[in-house]
C-alpha cells in the first residue's frame, strides 16, 4: 500500500465567539472525486463515499477523527502534533465537504494564532491505498483507507516534490495490527547488485537493515 496525500487550498475559516473567547473552525472540500488532481490521480467518488462512510462511523461519530499541523511522513496520527478535530465530512456531488475544530493543544494554539492573524492555510488528506494506471492516469484502488481527512498545511500550492520524495519506493504493510514502512527498493537493489556468491548474504543484510530501521 502507498501513502497517498492530496492538498486542497479552498478552505474557509469560521470563527465562533463564546464568553469572549474565539473558537476557530476550518471548512471546505477535504476530498474531491471523479477528477484528475494535480498529482495525476483520480479518486472515484463511489470509492470515496464507501471510505468516508467507514471514517464517519469509526472516527467522526466517536470523536476520534483528528489531524496534525504540518506534513507528517507516515499514516499514523501523532498525538503530540494534533491541532484539530474533524467534526463532519459529508458528500456534495463528487466532493466531500469537511469541517474541523481547532483544538486547545500546543499545535492547535499555533494554528489558531495563525488563523487569527489572517494567515492562509490549506488542508491535506492522508490515506493508504494501491494505485492502478489506466489510460496514463493513476486511479486510487478499492482498498483506499483514510488515516485522516485533513492535516493543516501552510504550503498547499507547492507540495508535489515533497510528497513524491516521501512516496517513492515506499510500501506500507500491516504487521500485527500496525502499519509499518518497508523500503522495498533498497532490498531489491541489494539483491540485484550482489554477486551470485553473496546473494543470500545480501538478502539477509537487506532485511536486517529494514528491521533495524
Amino acid at each position: 500500500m502507498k501513502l497517498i496525500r492530496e492538498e486542497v487550498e479552498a478552505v474557509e475559516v469560521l470563527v465562533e465567539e463564546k464568553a469572549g473567547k474565539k473558537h476557530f473552525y476550518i471548512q471546505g472540500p477535504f476530498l474531491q472525486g471523479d477528477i484528475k488532481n494535480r498529482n495525476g490521480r483520480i479518486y472515484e467518488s463511489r470509492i470515496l463515499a464507501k471510505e468516508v462512510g467507514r471514517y464517519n462511523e469509526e472516527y467522526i461519530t466517536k470523536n476520534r477523527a483528528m489531524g496534525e499541523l504540518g506534513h507528517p511522513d507516515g499514516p499514523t496520527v501523532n498525538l503530540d502534533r494534533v491541532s484539530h478535530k474533524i467534526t463532519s465530512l459529508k458528500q456534495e456531488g463528487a466532493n466531500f465537504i469537511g469541517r474541523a475544530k481547532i483544538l486547545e493543544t500546543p499545535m492547535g494554539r499555533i494554528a489558531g494564532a495563525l488563523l487569527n492573524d489572517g494567515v492562509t492555510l490549506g488542508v491535506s488528506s492522508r490515506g493508504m491505498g494501491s494505485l492502478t494506471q489506466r489510460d496514463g492516469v493513476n486511479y486510487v484502488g478499492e482498498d483506499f483507507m483514510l488515516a485522516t481527512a485533513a492535516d493543516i498545511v501552510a504550503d498547499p500550492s507547492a507540495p508535489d516534490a515533497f510528497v513524491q520524495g516521501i512516496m517513492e519506493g515506499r510500501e506500507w504493510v500491516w504487521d500485527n495490527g500496525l502499519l509499518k514502512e518497508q523500503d522495498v527498493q533498497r532490498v531489491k537493489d541489494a539483491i540485484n547488485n550482489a554477486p551470485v556468491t553473496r546473494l543470500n548474504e545480501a538478502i539477509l543484510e537487506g532485511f536486517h537493515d529494514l528491521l533495524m530501521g
Side-chain angles (χ1 to χ4, degrees), residues 83-142:
S83 59
H84 57 284
K85 178 178 73 173
I86 297 149
T87 59
S88 68
L89 188 60
K90 299 177 181 179
Q91 185 170 5
E92 290 189 10
N95 294 334
F96 294 80
I97 307 302
R99 181 183 172 100
K101 179 183 180 181
I102 306 301
L103 300 175
E104 285 295 321
T105 60
M107 291 297 178
R109 287 195 290 271
I110 292 173
L114 292 171
L115 293 172
N116 189 53
D117 284 341
V119 174
T120 299
L121 299 174
V123 297
S124 171
S125 65
R126 188 163 30 122
M128 304 294 300
S130 59
L131 298 172
T132 303
Q133 194 166 85
R134 285 184 267 162
D135 300 322
V137 178
N138 282 321
Y139 281 77
V140 178
E142 300 273 357

Side-chain angles (χ1 to χ4, degrees), residues 4-10 29-30 32 37-39 41 43 70-71 122-126 151 153 155-160 162-163:
I4 307 173
R5 295 203 314 218
E6 311 294 352
E7 287 73 19
V8 176
E9 296 179 61
F30 287 3
Q32 297 175 309
N37 63 30
R38 56 195 180 82
N39 289 324
R41 291 186 285 264
Y43 294 74
H71 276 295
V123 297
S124 171
S125 65
R126 188 163 30 122
D151 291 314
V153 294
D155 55 348
S157 61
D160 295 356
F162 181 87
V163 173

Side-chain angles (χ1 to χ4, degrees), residues 1-193:
M1 301 176 78
K2 294 287 188 184
L3 173 65
I4 307 173
R5 295 203 314 218
E6 311 294 352
E7 287 73 19
V8 176
E9 296 179 61
V11 291
E12 179 184 5
V13 179
L14 307 175
V15 183
E16 291 183 359
E17 191 163 347
K18 295 180 180 179
K21 183 175 179 60
K22 289 183 178 180
H23 299 274
F24 289 94
Y25 294 81
I26 54 174
Q27 180 173 287
F30 287 3
L31 301 164
Q32 297 175 309
D34 297 335
I35 61 169
K36 181 180 176 181
N37 63 30
R38 56 195 180 82
N39 289 324
R41 291 186 285 264
I42 291 179
Y43 294 74
E44 295 180 63
S45 57
R46 63 177 184 82
I47 292 177
L48 287 179
K50 177 182 176 182
E51 175 54 17
V52 166
R54 183 197 70 86
Y55 188 76
N56 268 309
E57 180 179 349
E58 296 184 10
Y59 288 90
I60 292 179
T61 60
K62 296 178 180 179
N63 290 315
R64 298 174 54 217
M66 297 173 288
E68 299 181 38
L69 178 65
H71 276 295
D73 60 1
T76 304
V77 175
N78 303 289
L79 293 179
D80 60 337
R81 296 193 57 82
V82 166
S83 59
H84 57 284
K85 178 178 73 173
I86 297 149
T87 59
S88 68
L89 188 60
K90 299 177 181 179
Q91 185 170 5
E92 290 189 10
N95 294 334
F96 294 80
I97 307 302
R99 181 183 172 100
K101 179 183 180 181
I102 306 301
L103 300 175
E104 285 295 321
T105 60
M107 291 297 178
R109 287 195 290 271
I110 292 173
L114 292 171
L115 293 172
N116 189 53
D117 284 341
V119 174
T120 299
L121 299 174
V123 297
S124 171
S125 65
R126 188 163 30 122
M128 304 294 300
S130 59
L131 298 172
T132 303
Q133 194 166 85
R134 285 184 267 162
D135 300 322
V137 178
N138 282 321
Y139 281 77
V140 178
E142 300 273 357
D143 59 353
F144 177 67
M145 182 175 59
L146 278 170
T148 179
D151 291 314
I152 294 176
V153 294
D155 55 348
S157 61
D160 295 356
F162 181 87
V163 173
Q164 290 300 322
I166 289 174
M167 291 175 54
E168 187 175 356
R170 305 289 180 177
E171 290 283 349
W172 294 79
V173 296
W174 288 104
D175 184 357
N176 293 323
L178 298 175
L179 277 167
K180 293 187 176 180
E181 182 183 13
Q182 289 190 344
D183 191 339
V184 176
Q185 194 59 49
R186 184 149 55 93
V187 176
K188 289 180 179 177
D189 289 344
I191 294 172
N192 293 335
N193 295 332

